[in-house]
Amino acid sequence: MNRRSQTLPAVLAGVEVAMQDKPCEWDMGECRTELLPLLGELGRIATEGGDLAGILQVLVELMQRHLKVTRGLVSLRDPESGRIFIQQGCGLTEEEQASGSLARGEGIVAQVVDSGRAVVVPGEAGSQSFLCVPIRRDRKVLGAIVAERHYANRQMLELDAEILAILAATTAQAVELHLQEHVRKAALEDENRRLRSALQNRFKPSNIIGNSRPLQEVYALIEKVTRSRTTVLILGENGVGKELVASAIHYNSSNADGPFVKFNCAALPESVIESELFGHERGAFTGAASQRRGRFEAADGGTIFLDEVGELSLAMQAKLLRVLQEKSFERVGGNLTHQVDLRILAATNRDLRAMVEQGRFREDLYYRLNVFPITVPPLRERGADIATLAEHFVARFSSEMGIDVERIATPALSMLMCYHWPGNVRELENVIERAVILSEGGSIDERHLPPSLQIPAASESTAGGILDVRLGQAEYDLIVEALTLHKGNMTEAATHLGLTRRILGLRMARHSLNYKDFR
């Protein structure tokens, strides 16, 4: 059996027997038998699972006091990068400490770590002897122990190397755990910081598509409000994705494990809204054959999303105000008060401030809802997101319908970018669904888009004639294609088109194009 593969007590016993034959090397000026108690102490510390810094500190002190080491260190190898660095040392210069490597013997350390074999270099002409042994764990070399001392006797240096090998075997497990738990963790943290820096520490919900500047501002507000349970009022035109924002708030908040209940206040007649929201008791009205829990009870412990809250009558607004203030209500036809613990999210496309002034919306309810307003921008203000959303919808619908559509042709993309989208994202989704159904040859062309997006044909009376119109449209398509390809980088787009940046800027101004819309 290889001596280094034995257990520590067996190795120590072998050393003790060997030293009984020659207990003290008085003719060499040193004694080794007194090392055994300290080796046992080091083994006990490692076995009890002490931290690596404490174990290596004991190891270095042992080397200094009993091996007469003037300079010593423990070097470890990063398992990911292979870089060798100093973990613990004594007698090192400030430069060596700062650089994390040895001025002398650096090549030998790398050689020992690569080969897994110890190296002993006796000193000559007054120079110090150099010893380096590997720290091994199974077949892996995790690092090395290095020692320098004023001693040149080859036999004693070989014995010192054996003792260092025992020390290396004793610390190997702790070293391996340290590399796994700390060095790799540090590498992952560095990578995480790098990625966060690349994304400018922007929070982006997974269910919302787009990276335009207006949408980034919405992401920042969502990130902040998810840390609390504040009531949120989501504002915006129809079709902008207010429900997606509400979902992002709920599923990224502390009550994400609770229910997420949605209710459209405009979808039902006023006579049944109260029963839907608060529930009813049996016999409360004609048709109430059994007791029924309302949406607020169903959302207890989670979130309720009230869409189109501006459509509620003044009577229902008063009852909603009480739930916001006290988190309590009674079912229709009942006297028992029910307490709920939930978060309320509300959304509307109405101007609630104007409705308050007109007496159509309660002012106290408005202020209760408007604690943390989030306005979702319309699609016409998010030009940079149009292409991204269109490609997302193409991929989704082509997969659902089993139709192979690989791309949107540049002229069609230009039409999508030029349209003002009064129906916002919902309208874009419907347009792409129709285009996927009509597509041929794996591409969506301008003829697959609805008439509302088509560019009017030029008449003969148009200034400059039809040729100028067609040339202008071709130029527009080429510029849009270049800006899309290079993500709004004007320098790269100009190079792609064979233009100077100044000329490209002038032609973009002619077509009312902004490079920011393509980022």
Side-chain angles (χ1 to χ4, degrees):
M1 182 182 293
N2 188 306
R3 183 172 182 178
R4 288 178 184 167
S5 65
Q6 302 177 41
T7 62
L8 178 61
V11 175
L12 293 176
V15 174
E16 186 173 10
V17 170
M19 291 190 175
Q20 285 176 355
D21 297 334
K22 206 170 189 181
C24 288
E25 300 292 341
W26 297 111
D27 56 332
M28 297 178 186
E30 295 191 29
C31 181
R32 293 291 184 266
T33 55
E34 63 181 17
L35 290 173
L36 294 178
L38 290 172
L39 287 173
E41 177 67 14
L42 182 65
R44 184 183 67 79
I45 295 174
T47 304
E48 290 179 357
D51 68 321
L52 184 65
I55 294 172
L56 297 186
Q57 184 61 39
V58 174
L59 184 151
V60 170
E61 290 175 0
L62 185 148
M63 292 166 58
Q64 286 180 295
R65 287 184 297 174
H66 300 282
L67 294 181
K68 305 299 186 290
V69 169
T70 57
R71 282 161 46 87
L73 60 91
V74 179
S75 290
L76 304 182
R77 178 166 64 178
D78 188 319
E80 300 295 335
S81 66
R83 182 179 66 89
I84 299 173
F85 60 94
I86 296 174
Q87 180 69 23
Q88 187 83 28
C90 64
L92 305 180
T93 64
E94 292 182 2
E95 291 78 8
E96 290 170 336
Q97 288 280 14
S99 64
S101 61
L102 278 176
R104 177 198 175 201
E106 185 175 359
I108 298 177
V109 174
Q111 174 188 335
V112 169
V113 172
D114 289 338
S115 66
R117 292 191 294 269
V119 171
V120 178
V121 181
E124 296 180 1
S127 63
Q128 297 194 94
S129 299
F130 187 92
L131 303 94
C132 184
V133 299
I135 301 174
R136 303 173 64 95
R137 178 72 172 168
D138 297 328
R139 296 184 178 182
K140 297 180 293 186
V141 179
L142 308 174
I145 298 177
V146 178
E148 290 184 2
R149 53 164 305 174
H150 291 292
Y151 206 85
N153 185 282
R154 182 79 191 194
Q155 185 178 357
M156 291 299 296
L157 290 175
E158 292 290 348
L159 183 56
D160 287 345
E162 289 294 328
I163 294 172
L164 289 177
I166 296 171
L167 298 177
T170 306
T171 59
Q173 182 177 5
V175 168
E176 183 179 43
L177 290 174
H178 172 81
L179 291 175
Q180 289 177 346
E181 296 177 8
H182 296 280
V183 175
R184 292 183 183 180
K185 181 180 178 181
L188 289 174
E189 288 176 350
D190 289 342
E191 179 69 7
N192 189 38
R193 282 193 293 269
R194 186 188 68 79
L195 292 174
R196 284 182 176 274
S197 176
L199 293 173
Q200 298 178 344
N201 292 322
R202 290 290 190 178
F203 168 85
K204 185 183 184 305
S206 58
N207 64 325
I208 303 179
I209 306 298
N211 274 310
S212 61
R213 187 179 297 277
L215 211 53
Q216 289 283 1
E217 295 173 359
V218 172
Y219 296 158
L221 293 175
I222 295 175
E223 180 185 17
K224 287 180 172 61
V225 80
T226 53
R227 304 169 190 168
S228 67
R229 301 189 67 182
T230 303
T231 300
V232 180
L233 180 60
I234 306 170
L235 305 170
E237 299 176 4
N238 286 329
V240 294
K242 296 188 290 294
E243 185 175 326
L244 293 178
V245 172
S247 298
I249 293 172
H250 170 73
Y251 289 112
N252 288 280
S253 65
S254 58
N255 57 343
D257 294 333
F260 181 48
V261 177
K262 307 171 188 177
F263 181 75
N264 190 320
C265 300
L268 296 172
E270 183 181 347
S271 58
V272 298
I273 287 181
E274 183 176 4
S275 174
E276 285 292 324
L277 288 177
F278 307 121
H280 61 253
E281 299 291 348
R282 179 180 179 182
F285 50 84
T286 303
S290 62
Q291 185 187 79
R292 184 181 187 279
R293 297 171 69 229
R295 305 298 177 93
F296 275 98
E297 283 185 81
D300 191 16
T303 303
I304 186 169
F305 172 53
L306 303 176
D307 198 7
E308 303 298 345
V309 71
E311 306 302 321
L312 290 175
S313 66
L314 291 173
M316 282 304 305
Q317 291 175 28
K319 295 181 179 182
L320 178 59
L321 177 63
R322 182 191 172 196
V323 180
L324 282 170
Q325 290 175 331
E326 303 175 11
K327 296 293 192 298
S328 65
F329 61 91
E330 290 83 31
R331 293 179 183 148
V332 177
N335 296 319
L336 181 63
T337 299
H338 297 271
Q339 290 287 142
V340 288
D341 180 21
L342 48 71
R343 178 183 206 160
I344 297 178
L345 306 178
T348 183
N349 64 341
R350 299 291 192 94
D351 184 350
L352 294 187
R353 181 73 248 180
M355 292 178 66
V356 169
E357 294 174 356
Q358 296 165 7
R360 296 162 51 204
F361 200 86
R362 291 180 62 103
E363 186 174 16
D364 47 4
L365 177 59
Y366 170 72
Y367 289 119
R368 276 289 181 180
L369 291 173
N370 200 41
V371 177
F372 194 95
I374 296 178
T375 301
V376 184
L379 189 56
R380 61 181 173 275
E381 297 178 7
R382 299 162 45 194
D385 293 334
I386 294 175
T388 305
L389 284 165
E391 291 170 0
H392 168 75
F393 291 136
V394 166
R396 195 183 88 190
F397 289 124
S398 61
S399 175
E400 290 177 358
M401 300 176 186
I403 301 174
D404 187 17
V405 180
E406 298 179 355
R407 60 186 290 269
I408 303 174
T410 300
L413 183 60
S414 299
M415 293 169 63
L416 295 176
M417 298 288 289
C418 290
Y419 188 58
H420 60 287
W421 299 109
N424 293 296
V425 179
R426 188 178 295 132
E427 183 182 8
L428 174 61
E429 182 180 11
N430 295 336
V431 165
I432 296 299
E433 183 176 9
R434 175 183 185 273
V436 169
I437 295 172
L438 297 175
S439 64
E440 299 171 354
S443 175
I444 291 178
D445 300 324
E446 61 268 33
R447 66 180 184 275
H448 301 138
L449 299 179
S452 58
L453 273 72
Q454 300 292 338
I455 299 174
S459 64
E460 294 296 334
S461 61
T462 301
I466 192 171
L467 178 61
D468 287 343
V469 173
R470 294 292 174 86
L471 288 175
Q473 182 60 44
E475 180 183 68
Y476 176 89
D477 291 342
L478 288 171
I479 293 174
V480 167
E481 183 177 23
L483 289 171
T484 303
L485 178 64
H486 297 287
K487 302 186 186 308
N489 188 313
M490 286 188 60
T491 301
E492 294 180 2
T495 303
H496 177 86
L497 294 170
L499 303 173
T500 64
R501 182 185 171 95
R502 177 178 172 276
I503 294 298
L504 176 60
L506 292 174
R507 298 193 180 189
M508 286 173 61
R510 181 192 307 166
H511 295 289
S512 301
L513 290 172
N514 190 330
Y515 70 93
K516 295 180 180 178
D517 293 337
F518 298 87
R519 286 187 169 178

